[in-house]
Amino acid sequence: MEELQKDLEEVKELLKKASRKRIHDVLLAEKNKLEKEIKNQPPPKIKAEISEEERQPATGYTVKINNYAWDQSDKFVKIYITLSGVQHLSAENVQVRFTERSFDLFVKNLNGKNYSMTFNNLLKPISVENSSRKIKTDMVLILCRKKQEEKWECLTQVEKETKEKEKASYDTSDPSEGLMNLLKKMYAEGDDEMKRTINKAWVESREKQTKEDMPLDI
C-alpha cells in the first residue's frame, strides 16, 4: 500500500513536467491505474490496545469468598469484602451481577487467582438497576438498593429460618422445658469446661429435686 502511494506521487510529479501529449497520456493512464489499485486495497488492520489485565490469561484457580461484613442504612444493604490489592485491577476485572433476590461477585486475576462470592435468597427484594459496587483500597463494597426502606434482621432467608429454628428450640410455653433445651444446645456446642460446668449444675439440680420430693418423717 505504501509503495503504491509512492509510485502515484512520483507519476503525478512526472505529469506536471510532461510536455509531449503521448508521454502525458501514458503517465495519465498509469496514474489512473495506480489510483484504482490503491482504492481496491483492503483497509489496514488496526491493532487494538490491550490492557495488562486483559493480556494476562485467567490463570490460577477460583477461590470462594466466605468472609465478609455487612451493614445497612435506610436505603442500602452494604456488604464489605476484603481483597488485598483489588484497587490495582481495572474495573472490568471486578464484576457484579444483580437479580432481585441475589448477587454474584467475580474478581479476575487478582494476585494470580480468581475470587467469587454468591448470595442467593436475599431476605427481601432489591432494585437491580440501582444496586452497584465500589472498589476501595483492599476492599470491594457491594451496595444493594432496598426496594422498601425497612430494616433487615439478616441478609438471607436461610439465615432467618435458622434463627427462627434456634429460637423455637428453647422458646416454649413451659419455662423449664425452654431452659432445658437451651442447656442442651450449650452442652452440644460448648468446650470441655462448659460441659463439666453444665454436668455439675445438672447433678446438683437433680440432688436438690430428690431431697424436695422425699417425704417428711412425722
Side-chain angles (χ1 to χ4, degrees):
M1 180 74 172
E2 187 178 348
E3 291 299 318
L4 289 173
Q5 196 66 42
K6 288 180 180 180
D7 289 346
L8 179 60
E9 293 301 323
E10 188 170 338
V11 169
K12 285 181 179 179
E13 289 298 319
L14 291 172
L15 267 172
K16 292 177 184 178
K17 298 176 183 178
S19 57
R20 299 178 64 85
K21 184 177 183 303
R22 187 173 178 181
I23 300 298
H24 184 277
D25 291 344
V26 170
L27 290 171
L28 185 61
E30 184 64 20
K31 172 180 171 291
N32 292 336
K33 178 184 174 184
L34 288 169
E35 287 176 342
K36 187 175 181 181
E37 284 186 37
I38 292 172
K39 186 178 179 181
N40 292 332
Q41 286 290 312
K45 292 182 180 179
I46 300 173
K47 187 177 180 180
E49 290 292 328
I50 302 174
S51 66
E52 186 65 26
E53 290 82 5
E54 291 172 333
R55 193 177 295 114
Q56 295 174 352
T59 56
Y61 56 93
T62 298
V63 179
K64 185 177 180 181
I65 302 170
N66 293 313
N67 296 325
Y68 64 91
W70 76 284
D71 192 6
Q72 62 181 308
S73 63
D74 291 340
K75 296 181 178 181
F76 289 93
V77 171
K78 306 170 187 178
I79 298 94
Y80 303 86
I81 300 113
T82 300
L83 290 170
S84 180
V86 70
Q87 71 273 15
H88 301 304
L89 294 179
S90 66
E92 291 76 17
N93 279 34
V94 183
Q95 303 169 356
V96 183
R97 183 180 63 87
F98 295 96
T99 71
E100 192 175 68
R101 295 294 290 270
S102 72
F103 71 82
D104 295 300
L105 167 68
F106 187 75
V107 179
K108 184 173 68 174
N109 286 338
L110 176 59
N111 302 322
K113 300 176 185 176
N114 305 317
Y115 293 83
S116 71
M117 169 182 269
T118 299
F119 264 95
N120 293 315
N121 298 316
L122 291 172
L123 183 64
K124 299 178 187 292
I126 62 173
S127 171
V128 174
E129 60 272 15
N130 294 315
S131 296
S132 61
R133 62 101 177 92
K134 290 184 178 179
I135 303 172
K136 298 179 175 290
T137 303
D138 298 331
M139 180 182 291
V140 177
L141 171 59
I142 309 293
L143 296 165
C144 297
R145 180 66 160 87
K146 298 177 180 178
K147 277 202 167 182
Q148 294 184 347
E149 296 182 10
E150 56 186 335
K151 186 178 179 180
W152 290 24
E153 58 190 277
C154 51
L155 272 179
T156 66
Q157 188 66 33
V158 173
E159 287 180 51
K160 181 182 179 182
E161 291 172 359
T162 301
K163 286 184 177 180
E164 288 175 347
K165 287 178 181 178
E166 289 179 354
K167 183 179 179 182
S169 67
Y170 54 82
D171 185 12
T172 66
S173 56
D174 184 349
S176 61
E177 184 181 349
L179 178 60
M180 186 60 65
N181 288 334
L182 177 59
L183 287 172
K184 287 178 180 178
K185 181 175 183 295
M186 291 172 64
Y187 186 88
E189 297 176 355
D191 56 15
D192 291 341
E193 185 64 30
M194 175 64 74
K195 286 181 170 66
R196 282 193 293 270
T197 302
I198 293 174
N199 276 330
K200 182 179 178 182
W202 174 262
V203 171
E204 291 175 353
S205 175
R206 296 295 294 174
E207 289 176 349
K208 182 180 178 182
Q209 184 68 35
T210 301
K211 288 178 182 179
E212 290 176 352
D213 291 342
M214 288 177 66
L216 296 174
D217 293 332
I218 301 175

